[in-house]
Amino acid sequence: MTEKAKEPYIKQKELVLTTKAPLFIGDGEKLTKKEFVLIPKTKQVYMMDPVSFFRWLDRNNLVKAYEEFAQDVKQKRLYEDFFQKHLYQGETNQQKKIQQELDQLDGYSVSAGNCFVGKDSKQDPLREIHTCIKDAYGNPYVPGSSIKGALRTAILAKMLSGKGEAIFLDKEKEAKGQQKEKMKHWSQKSYQEISSISQNIENNSLNTLNLKNERGKKIDSSNALTSILRGISISDSIPIPKENLIICPKIDISTVGTPQPVLLVRECIKPGTKIHFQITLNDDYLKDAEINFDYLEEAIRAFYELQNNWFVRQFSGWENYGKENDCRLYLGGGAGFHSKTLLQAIYQGNAVKYTSTILQKIFRKHQHCRDCKNPGLSPRMLKTTKYDNTNFLMGECEVEFR
């Protein structure tokens, strides 16, 4: 009889994200009103290629005029205060002719219709646009590190689920008393001290590889080299066509379901976009923790349901949101506090008082100390957006391993 073939220690699959809501992966930059063109009648925004734009200015002898426009604080909008004043003034079909000029600038256009969400549709929310990350060719993409960070949180949530304050106790017997004493007064500690304690918890859960340095000395668990997550590698995504970009407003929903638009808009990947990655699991690092593709799916499903159950469904109008077996993550900027933290996993229904304590330390002006009062939610706002006249939770994506 032939010997049974061994399972390969490196396993690779395609990871496919399907955006179920607008997804924002920011590049840390933002465009001011003098750097993009908003056509008021059509609510279309032109995002111009800077190099093409300045070449166009030079060809049309408008460099000096643009410099004066850029320096004049009274002139605010690129379309009304520059293009309309210097192009085809007094001619019929001026807007159409300007749009034809804009089409030559190697940029792209997106609809900004849903950004006008105030009581008055003429209200101007487009003071600036927070832009998404793009590659060297100007195409949007999602870094693999963004997905791995979300998986890390889901894995930790699965490992620490329901353990409460027991996880704050050090594994070493001699340290137990000290750690217990620390936890008695942790709510009075600084945010930096709480972060340090949290980092120790993560190290104890993930940094479990027994490695030695060149001198034969054991590498401390505080060193990222000992992390089992070295066994998970995720490529950057395949570039995403610019046609999949949209501009979406930030809309906070109160506990009673009232939308509260915020004057902040983001350049997002639109719902229904499929984003492709390669994911590799290395059993040399993961086998002791029994992490495989099935484990990842279970962790994602559990974390998604956890956030919906203890937070999203507590808001009026969202009581039945999400399905228990959906394999989904809340990703990227604007996805909310609980998508990137473990307090709900650790404390579940008792997470409000711990969340409010931490948020109060970070955002002292927002009075999160009141979050524990009726209805007992922290934070008190649900992070949403709007696209195609439909409300969405920011960053919701379906995950498939193929």
Side-chain angles (χ1 to χ4, degrees), residues 302-347:
F303 192 48
Y304 178 71
E305 175 60 17
L306 180 79
Q307 293 171 84
N308 288 337
N309 190 42
W310 293 113
F311 187 67
V312 175
R313 293 174 191 149
Q314 307 305 311
F315 286 81
S316 178
W318 299 80
E319 293 88 349
N320 299 312
Y321 192 80
K323 297 179 181 178
E324 187 174 350
N325 292 321
D326 281 345
C327 189
R328 296 186 180 186
L329 289 168
Y330 294 109
L331 295 171
F337 179 82
H338 289 297
S339 68
K340 297 172 174 62
T341 55
L342 298 167
L343 290 172
Q344 282 185 328
I346 297 168
Y347 295 108

Side-chain angles (χ1 to χ4, degrees), residues 254-256 314-315 352 370-378 380:
S254 71
T255 55
V256 295
Q314 307 305 311
F315 286 81
V352 174
R370 301 187 306 180
D371 290 357
C372 292
K373 298 178 181 179
N374 187 44
L377 275 175
S378 187
R380 300 187 299 272

Side-chain angles (χ1 to χ4, degrees), residues 150-164 167 201-202 205-206 228-229 289-307 329 338 341-348:
L151 288 180
R152 174 192 176 90
T153 306
I155 290 169
L156 276 167
K158 181 175 173 63
M159 290 179 170
L160 303 175
S161 179
K163 291 191 175 181
I167 64 166
I201 295 167
E202 293 189 22
S205 302
L206 298 177
I228 59 175
L229 296 190
E290 299 181 343
I291 294 177
N292 52 31
F293 287 108
D294 290 338
Y295 182 101
L296 293 181
E297 287 189 4
E298 290 172 9
I300 293 169
R301 287 192 176 97
F303 192 48
Y304 178 71
E305 175 60 17
L306 180 79
Q307 293 171 84
L329 289 168
H338 289 297
T341 55
L342 298 167
L343 290 172
Q344 282 185 328
I346 297 168
Y347 295 108
Q348 297 187 0

Side-chain angles (χ1 to χ4, degrees), residues 158-196:
K158 181 175 173 63
M159 290 179 170
L160 303 175
S161 179
K163 291 191 175 181
E165 294 190 2
I167 64 166
F168 293 92
L169 300 179
D170 196 284
K171 292 182 179 180
E172 300 295 330
K173 291 183 179 179
E174 64 268 21
K176 282 186 177 179
Q178 290 181 337
Q179 289 283 9
K180 200 167 186 177
E181 185 63 29
K182 283 182 181 179
M183 281 309 302
K184 287 179 182 178
H185 307 288
W186 83 280
S187 62
Q188 281 76 47
K189 291 184 176 296
S190 69
Y191 176 68
Q192 289 73 20
E193 288 174 311
I194 294 172
S195 297
S196 177

Side-chain angles (χ1 to χ4, degrees), residues 81-338:
D81 297 327
F82 181 75
F83 280 99
Q84 283 191 326
K85 287 184 178 180
H86 296 283
L87 293 178
Y88 309 111
Q89 194 170 26
E91 296 187 23
T92 57
N93 297 322
Q94 183 191 32
Q95 178 180 308
K96 184 177 180 180
K97 292 177 180 179
I98 290 175
Q99 286 180 300
Q100 290 173 346
E101 293 284 348
L102 292 170
D103 289 337
Q104 301 175 27
L105 301 180
D106 294 335
Y108 56 96
S109 64
V110 291
S111 172
N114 283 125
C115 293
F116 296 82
V117 293
K119 293 181 181 179
D120 182 355
S121 63
K122 295 181 181 179
Q123 181 180 343
D124 177 14
L126 288 177
R127 297 179 179 178
E128 56 189 24
I129 298 173
H130 293 249
T131 52
C132 72
I133 192 168
K134 301 179 182 70
D135 62 20
Y137 300 97
N139 295 310
Y141 75 102
V142 178
S145 57
S146 296
I147 308 303
K148 186 170 180 178
L151 288 180
R152 174 192 176 90
T153 306
I155 290 169
L156 276 167
K158 181 175 173 63
M159 290 179 170
L160 303 175
S161 179
K163 291 191 175 181
E165 294 190 2
I167 64 166
F168 293 92
L169 300 179
D170 196 284
K171 292 182 179 180
E172 300 295 330
K173 291 183 179 179
E174 64 268 21
K176 282 186 177 179
Q178 290 181 337
Q179 289 283 9
K180 200 167 186 177
E181 185 63 29
K182 283 182 181 179
M183 281 309 302
K184 287 179 182 178
H185 307 288
W186 83 280
S187 62
Q188 281 76 47
K189 291 184 176 296
S190 69
Y191 176 68
Q192 289 73 20
E193 288 174 311
I194 294 172
S195 297
S196 177
I197 293 171
S198 300
Q199 187 61 56
N200 288 336
I201 295 167
E202 293 189 22
N203 291 346
N204 290 337
S205 302
L206 298 177
N207 295 9
T208 57
L209 296 178
N210 188 13
L211 301 179
K212 296 181 179 180
N213 60 22
E214 295 175 351
R215 298 180 180 178
K217 186 178 178 180
K218 183 180 177 181
I219 299 176
D220 189 81
S221 64
S222 62
N223 192 319
L225 286 174
T226 64
S227 173
I228 59 175
L229 296 190
R230 290 175 62 192
I232 301 178
S233 299
I234 304 176
S235 70
D236 291 342
S237 77
I238 294 173
I240 301 162
K242 292 175 185 175
E243 292 76 18
N244 291 65
L245 289 178
I246 54 176
I247 294 177
C248 294
K250 171 180 166 65
I251 304 174
D252 289 346
I253 301 289
S254 71
T255 55
V256 295
T258 305
Q260 299 185 11
V262 181
L263 291 180
L264 186 154
V265 297
R266 303 179 175 109
E267 185 181 38
C268 301
I269 300 167
K270 71 180 181 181
T273 303
K274 290 192 178 294
I275 309 172
H276 300 264
F277 309 78
Q278 289 296 320
I279 179 170
T280 303
L281 303 187
N282 188 328
D283 278 349
D284 280 353
Y285 301 105
L286 301 172
K287 61 182 177 182
D288 289 342
E290 299 181 343
I291 294 177
N292 52 31
F293 287 108
D294 290 338
Y295 182 101
L296 293 181
E297 287 189 4
E298 290 172 9
I300 293 169
R301 287 192 176 97
F303 192 48
Y304 178 71
E305 175 60 17
L306 180 79
Q307 293 171 84
N308 288 337
N309 190 42
W310 293 113
F311 187 67
V312 175
R313 293 174 191 149
Q314 307 305 311
F315 286 81
S316 178
W318 299 80
E319 293 88 349
N320 299 312
Y321 192 80
K323 297 179 181 178
E324 187 174 350
N325 292 321
D326 281 345
C327 189
R328 296 186 180 186
L329 289 168
Y330 294 109
L331 295 171
F337 179 82
H338 289 297

